[in-house]
Amino acid sequence: MKFLIVIEKSSTGYAAYSPDLDGCVATGRTRKATEKAMREALAMHLAALREEGSQIPLPRSYSTYVELGRNGRKPRRGRAS
């Protein structure tokens, strides 16, 4: 099962969460450490849900980038923005 995680810069390092699993968060000093901590947090979160007999939510989130030109508008094809 693959869950999307979001990693954001914080004042003390990085913080991560999964939009599909409420309350599942982790922090770390580096992005790599935060990703590792989040992987462990996901495993513990899912194990706790199983233990209490709760249904494991299916992953439903995805991510994509939206490109905008320097003027904040969609870039024109074939032209540098």
Side-chain angles (χ1 to χ4, degrees), residues 38-73:
M38 189 61 187
R39 188 174 282 110
E40 293 168 359
L42 285 166
M44 290 177 18
H45 191 92
L46 295 176
L49 288 174
R50 285 186 194 101
E51 188 175 305
E52 66 185 27
S54 295
Q55 189 172 17
I56 304 296
L58 292 175
R60 63 186 187 283
S61 298
Y62 71 95
S63 67
T64 189
Y65 285 93
V66 175
E67 184 177 354
L68 298 176
R70 290 186 192 123
N71 62 3
R73 295 182 184 191

Side-chain angles (χ1 to χ4, degrees), residues 1-33:
M1 217 179 250
K2 288 184 180 181
F3 285 95
L4 174 68
I5 64 169
V6 177
I7 300 175
E8 300 174 332
K9 181 80 172 122
S10 71
S11 61
T12 57
Y14 293 86
Y17 67 94
S18 175
D20 293 326
L21 296 168
D22 289 339
C24 188
V25 299
T27 61
R29 292 184 65 201
T30 65
R31 285 173 52 180
K32 186 175 182 178

